[in-house]
Amino acid sequence: MAKTKTDMREALMAVAKATVQAHGYNALSFRELAKEVGIKSASVHYHFPTKGDLGAALARRYTEDGATYLAEVLATSKDATWCMDRYTEIFRSALTNDNRMCLCGIMSAELDDLPAEVRTEVDKFAETNVGWITQVLTRAKPAAGEQQLREHAMAIFAAIEGAQLVARGCQDIAIYDRTIRTYRATGLIP
């Protein structure tokens, strides 16, 4: 059975996502994507005219999917600790999936090489995460001010991304687990 245009676009997105999470944005190659999906390189351009278009689509989808999941987490429980456990598990699961990184986290490391449209989407990812963590912190610290909560949320976001990066570099998920436990024990995360 022939694949539809939507199926082909989704196949390209899946392969591209795995590539970026494992090797970064600069590793994206239309020729390699086409080879992996079983189409001609020119066909990739039909779906994504430029590498920037593909990178932006990946980051946008990653952010949207993440935001949907995080909204479900907030709707499921009012408990800040439970919510943060679900959040840290997202980053841990990337490590358990062939020692991959957060898609937008690894793209952030290549910021100087990203086209403007990709940078915009990566920025939205960070803002989405900080906004969500701020909502969780509001539950844990209802008397805290908005600015204090946002700064705390940014510290948490940066710390979790950093824990993932260090664990990946050491190829040791136990480092991630110990670091998250330490963040909790020291009061960084609820």
Side-chain angles (χ1 to χ4, degrees):
M1 182 164 91
K3 287 188 174 187
T4 67
K5 290 178 188 176
T6 301
D7 291 341
M8 190 54 62
R9 180 179 169 86
E10 291 304 312
L12 288 166
M13 294 270 292
V15 171
K17 178 183 174 191
T19 298
V20 172
Q21 285 187 288
H23 306 289
Y25 175 80
N26 285 323
L28 278 179
S29 158
F30 278 20
R31 182 175 305 153
E32 291 302 313
L33 290 174
K35 186 172 151 188
E36 190 142 346
V37 174
I39 60 175
K40 294 182 180 179
S41 183
S43 298
V44 178
H45 288 279
Y46 170 80
H47 297 283
F48 304 100
T50 68
K51 184 175 169 179
D53 293 326
L54 174 57
L58 286 171
R60 186 178 317 107
R61 167 82 60 82
Y62 195 74
T63 301
E64 290 168 354
D65 290 350
T68 298
Y69 174 74
L70 293 174
E72 291 169 5
V73 168
L74 279 179
T76 302
S77 176
K78 301 273 187 229
D79 181 64
T81 300
W82 184 87
C83 291
M84 286 307 299
D85 283 346
R86 304 295 75 70
Y87 184 74
T88 59
E89 183 55 36
I90 296 167
F91 292 84
R92 187 182 196 283
S93 69
L95 291 168
T96 62
N97 186 12
D98 293 331
N99 201 34
R100 292 190 179 144
M101 281 289 299
C102 161
L103 179 95
C104 289
I106 200 165
M107 285 181 165
S108 291
E110 300 174 290
L111 193 65
D112 290 343
D113 297 330
L114 298 179
E117 64 270 24
V118 181
R119 274 187 255 163
T120 297
E121 296 301 330
V122 169
D123 289 346
K124 287 178 186 174
F125 175 81
E127 184 56 37
T128 297
N129 280 265
V130 170
W132 184 86
I133 296 168
T134 300
Q135 290 179 354
V136 172
L137 291 175
T138 300
R139 293 174 176 185
K141 300 177 174 192
E146 179 68 21
Q147 184 64 24
Q148 178 187 6
L149 291 171
R150 287 195 64 75
E151 288 173 4
H152 188 174
M154 178 55 85
I156 291 171
F157 176 62
I160 292 171
E161 285 274 14
Q164 185 190 51
L165 178 64
V166 171
R168 181 180 194 255
C170 294
Q171 297 182 336
D172 185 357
I173 199 164
I175 290 172
Y176 180 81
D177 294 336
R178 285 192 307 271
T179 303
I180 296 302
R181 282 194 303 274
T182 301
Y183 291 164
R184 179 157 283 138
T186 60
L188 177 63
I189 63 174

